[in-house]
Amino acid sequence: MKNFSGKVLFLDRSDINTDEIIPAKYLTEITKEALKPYLLEDLVLEGFNHKHDLQDKAVIVTRANFGCGSSREHAPWALEVNGINVVIAESFARIFRQNMFNCGMMAIELPKEKIDYLFANYAGKETFISVDVENDTIVVTSGEQREEIKYTISEFDKTLVKEGGWVGYADKHY
Amino acid sequence: MGKTLAEKIFDAHRIDMPFPETHVLKLDMVFCHEITTPIAITDLMARGMDRVFDPTKIKAVIDHVTPAKDSKTAEQGKILREWARRHGIKDFFDIGRNGVCHALFPEKGFVRPGYTIIMGDSHTCTHGAFGAFAAGVGTTDLEVGILKGVCAFRTPKTIKIVLNGTLKPGVYAKDVILYIIKELTVNGATDKVIEFTGPVVDAMSMEARMTLCNMAIEAGGTCGVCYPDMKTVEYLWEYIKDEFASKEEALQEYSKWISDADAQYEKVYEFDVSHLEPLVTYGYKPDQVKTVREMEGTEVDQIYIGSCTNGRIEDLRVAAAVLKGKKISDHVRAIVSPATPEVYAQALKEGLIEIFLDAGFCVTNPTCGACLGMSNGVLASGEVCASTTNRNFNGRMGKGGMVHLMSPATAAATAIAGKITNSPLFQG
Ligand code: SF4
């Protein structure tokens, strides 16, 4: 399994699309590593600086409909090569969410109240999240604060995370 | 309890349900293009799995950047070309025969009612216009599709949209879908199939239905679908005439791909579109929609007519009708990209290309081109484009550029005026 814990980047906006995550002009790259410097280059978000704000982050917490738009799997890959294997959001676009699990990465959905709560209590502070895959729980810590939040995940998605993705699974079963 | 069209297709293609809500479907077609497929091919090769499940069910095209613009895009084309040869994929469309995938593949008769189709491209939803279940997927799903001919989907939930009334002259499928996206919002249909029904859809051509289904993804939809009818049969007849004794027989067969009257829907919307006027987007999200009247006078730098949304022959006919005998404004540049060689040839035959040239348009070869900001009309920072494409995301047509989505009629009128305006075809 991949690493699912580390420092959190809060992106306070809904509908962040795949063109913002990785612009089309980089789709001619044929290695994942080459995408690294361009993650979130075109993100429309006041005060966000992709060169500075992404440093040592491993988890993204964001709002609704993350990853809408294009089917490009380059979006999860660009996250992966930057060390980000988990995105926690109110909701995801279908293709993006499937791409994440297909790559053995995690797209965790939490209800709006929980997301609001995370933003209200942790955004702006140095925050760490670690995902306990076995128990469907995320552990949030910041300074003295520590809490656990349960999430729900489909059995299929969980299996993909554990087995490292869909190609291996499908090859074994079909 | 009755079933929806998507549920019927799932029932006919399901080979496994490994987990609750997870349906593994057998695929009838896997479509490929040169942006998302080469990376799947190289990964399969690296895994020692350079195989294809059935070369007759794989169709491939170089369409996004063609002719190649640099060494990197040339390399992508080369990987796809060599792979198609290596595996005997006969339906591979290289430059000269290539066109925008979602216009070309239907035109070649590769889409049939009741089919399951995937492609590494979000606008694969277009093919639902034929009563198929067609979904965009990422590279990993594409790899498995190529290798095994299967794909996993969640239980399909359907939103039904009933379009009543009659469209005013000068109002098109593009205006209808922009209106629907505005109503549904950009994630109103996430994880759902959108069924487009009602008298307005019945009256639409296959081209217009494709425009409608093409933008289902812009509301988050997995697939847009229309019920097959005589128009579907007529469109496909050239390719299916050996399979059926008559068109009526074909229609009868295809009619099994229609939702039952008592099917269960997630939600049903009824819209009367009789009063709809031409629409246009503002901002960076496709649900940010206003009437052309409200946006009247917005200056633009470039006009782009083309893409899988609106680069078909009907679109070119409408644009040419507006442009005939006119010149584009001195303040703008305009590009038209017929979506396929057949569209190009037909436009040439009908004198449309001449109208575009006389008006001052640049006519390009069939390609996605400027639609995704990779070639053939990329914007400079601060520039504005009036476009018949489907996405207005920040940076989509070039870093710092702004895209206003609209119908071909509005785009043509905007080219003449140099600013956003209604076409004379609309007399609201
Ligand atoms: S025309 Fe645009 S939206 Fe359509 S397939 Fe090409 S790049 Fe994608």
Side-chain angles (χ1 to χ4, degrees):
Chain A
M1 275 198 296
K2 293 189 168 24
N3 170 49
F4 298 121
S5 59
K7 237 194 250 182
V8 181
L9 170 67
F10 287 90
L11 298 176
D12 193 2
R13 216 199 82 196
S14 287
D15 307 317
I16 292 175
N17 65 60
T18 48
D19 277 79
E20 291 176 280
I21 299 170
I22 186 79
K25 61 175 182 253
Y26 304 118
L27 303 186
T28 57
E29 299 296 346
I30 43 176
T31 66
K32 295 180 185 180
E33 206 51 41
L35 303 172
K36 194 170 177 186
Y38 312 118
L39 176 64
L40 293 167
E41 186 183 83
D42 279 346
L43 179 65
V44 184
L45 182 63
E46 187 82 335
F48 177 77
N49 176 323
H50 80 103
K51 292 214 175 82
H52 177 259
D53 296 351
L54 282 165
Q55 261 165 33
D56 0 296
K57 301 299 192 312
V59 178
I60 287 176
V61 173
T62 184
R63 302 283 183 179
N65 199 29
F66 188 81
C68 58
S70 148
S71 66
R72 62 190 69 157
E73 204 157 303
H74 304 70
W77 298 335
L79 292 168
E80 185 185 6
V81 295
N82 277 278
I84 299 170
N85 293 321
V86 194
V87 181
I88 300 169
E90 192 186 319
S91 62
F92 293 93
R94 176 190 63 89
I95 305 175
F96 177 84
R97 184 195 59 222
Q98 195 59 52
N99 287 345
M100 288 286 282
F101 288 111
N102 281 348
C103 293
M105 297 163 74
M106 297 199 81
I108 298 175
E109 283 173 323
L110 289 178
K112 184 172 186 312
E113 314 82 69
K114 294 257 168 67
I115 293 289
D116 286 345
Y117 175 83
L118 286 175
F119 271 96
N121 289 279
Y122 294 98
K125 296 181 199 165
E126 187 163 81
T127 304
F128 294 84
I129 283 182
S130 68
V131 182
D132 179 349
V133 178
E134 281 311 321
N135 298 303
D136 304 338
T137 304
I138 61 168
V139 183
V140 192
T141 51
S142 177
E144 297 293 287
Q145 281 173 282
R146 182 185 186 279
E147 60 193 301
E148 295 184 357
I149 299 174
K150 277 259 177 206
Y151 60 86
T152 47
I153 181 171
S154 82
E155 261 182 79
F156 180 50
D157 292 342
K158 194 166 168 174
T159 306
L160 294 181
V161 170
K162 287 193 183 163
E163 297 203 6
W166 171 229
V167 179
Y169 182 91
D171 195 47
K172 199 155 70 187
H173 295 268
Y174 305 109
Chain B
M1 195 177 70
K3 292 200 158 137
T4 62
L5 169 52
E7 286 166 346
K8 291 183 185 186
I9 295 177
F10 271 50
D11 286 349
H13 291 81
R14 189 183 301 103
I15 56 159
D16 191 17
M17 243 183 116
F19 305 99
E21 299 280 301
T22 306
H23 308 253
V24 178
L25 307 184
K26 191 164 72 62
L27 299 170
D28 294 307
M29 286 286 160
V30 176
F31 293 160
C32 299
H33 67 56
E34 90 285 12
I35 298 292
T36 50
T37 314
I39 203 150
I41 296 168
T42 45
D43 189 60
L44 285 171
M45 289 170 75
R47 291 172 189 266
M49 298 175 174
D50 182 23
R51 303 186 298 270
V52 302
F53 81 107
D54 182 346
T56 65
K57 292 182 177 169
I58 297 179
K59 314 290 173 188
V61 64
I62 296 178
D63 63 349
H64 277 56
V65 187
T66 175
K69 71 181 171 86
D70 54 18
S71 308
K72 283 182 175 170
T73 48
E75 191 62 36
Q76 289 181 307
K78 187 177 171 212
I79 294 172
L80 192 68
R81 189 178 294 121
E82 289 177 349
W83 171 75
R85 283 194 192 131
R86 187 160 74 240
H87 295 290
I89 296 165
K90 297 257 166 30
D91 292 310
F92 167 63
F93 300 89
D94 211 331
I95 187 142
R97 286 152 288 143
N98 61 359
V100 177
C101 50
H102 309 307
L104 184 75
F105 292 149
E107 198 183 85
K108 296 287 175 194
F110 298 154
V111 183
R112 305 288 168 80
Y115 266 19
T116 49
I117 302 170
I118 62 162
M119 179 173 197
D121 192 284
S122 60
H123 293 100
T124 307
C125 51
T126 312
H127 309 288
F130 292 80
F133 176 81
V137 297
T139 298
T140 304
D141 275 337
L142 181 67
E143 276 182 43
V144 172
I146 288 169
L147 192 63
K148 298 279 168 181
V150 302
C151 193
F153 290 96
R154 290 189 178 184
T155 303
K157 297 190 174 122
T158 302
I159 291 177
K160 180 178 182 168
I161 297 189
V162 187
L163 296 171
N164 294 316
T166 29
L167 290 175
K168 284 186 187 168
V171 180
Y172 302 94
K174 182 62 160 285
D175 302 300
V176 175
I177 190 62
L178 288 175
Y179 171 73
I180 292 170
I181 294 163
K182 181 181 175 219
E183 292 298 312
L184 261 58
T185 76
V186 289
N187 63 347
T190 300
D191 271 317
K192 300 183 180 85
V193 174
I194 308 179
E195 251 182 39
F196 299 102
T197 66
V200 175
V201 183
D202 295 342
M204 279 182 182
S205 65
M206 289 311 295
E207 283 83 358
R209 291 177 195 176
M210 283 189 256
T211 302
L212 214 53
C213 292
N214 176 266
M215 290 186 74
I217 181 73
E218 261 42 79
T222 305
C223 183
V225 292
C226 301
Y227 301 153
D229 62 3
M230 204 38 147
K231 283 187 183 148
T232 319
V233 173
E234 299 272 5
Y235 186 100
L236 291 173
W237 188 243
E238 187 191 336
Y239 300 101
I240 59 174
K241 57 179 190 289
D242 296 337
E243 291 170 38
F244 301 102
S246 66
K247 289 181 182 172
E248 287 67 31
E249 195 189 296
L251 181 61
Q252 200 181 355
E253 167 68 17
Y254 290 161
S255 296
K256 67 181 187 217
W257 305 115
I258 291 179
S259 297
D260 295 327
D262 57 345
Q264 295 288 305
Y265 291 98
E266 188 77 1
K267 219 165 178 178
V268 178
Y269 294 85
E270 296 232 10
F271 297 125
D272 186 332
V273 291
S274 302
H275 300 287
L276 199 67
E277 22 179 317
L279 300 173
V280 54
T281 61
Y282 63 96
Y284 297 129
K285 291 200 299 169
D287 62 357
Q288 294 177 301
V289 174
K290 288 185 180 176
T291 61
V292 172
R293 273 190 304 121
E294 288 172 291
M295 293 287 285
E296 178 91 45
T298 307
E299 294 199 10
V300 304
D301 302 289
Q302 175 170 294
I303 287 81
Y304 186 77
I305 298 178
S307 87
C308 58
T309 322
N310 284 123
R312 298 186 180 84
I313 190 67
E314 282 188 359
D315 303 313
L316 269 51
R317 282 185 192 134
V318 169
V322 174
L323 290 166
K324 192 165 187 182
K326 304 265 172 38
K327 298 269 179 228
I328 64 167
S329 157
D330 287 343
H331 303 286
V332 299
R333 52 191 195 267
I335 300 164
V336 58
S337 187
T340 70
E342 203 172 306
V343 171
Y344 200 147
Q346 185 63 26
L348 206 54
K349 209 153 62 185
E350 295 179 20
L352 311 181
I353 298 296
E354 203 178 331
I355 295 172
F356 282 111
L357 290 173
D358 286 347
F361 266 71
C362 160
V363 182
T364 80
N365 63 298
T367 176
C368 295
C371 173
L372 81 165
M374 285 183 81
S375 62
N376 279 15
V378 181
L379 300 176
S381 182
E383 286 190 325
V384 178
C385 184
S387 177
T388 69
T389 54
N390 47 36
R391 280 198 178 133
N392 54 350
F393 295 167
N394 182 41
R396 174 76 180 180
M397 205 176 266
K399 202 174 177 67
M402 167 61 80
V403 177
H404 296 288
L405 307 175
M406 58 185 71
S407 76
T410 311
T414 299
I416 297 165
K419 46 198 174 204
I420 293 178
T421 190
N422 264 314
S423 84
L425 300 174
F426 173 70
Q427 290 167 354

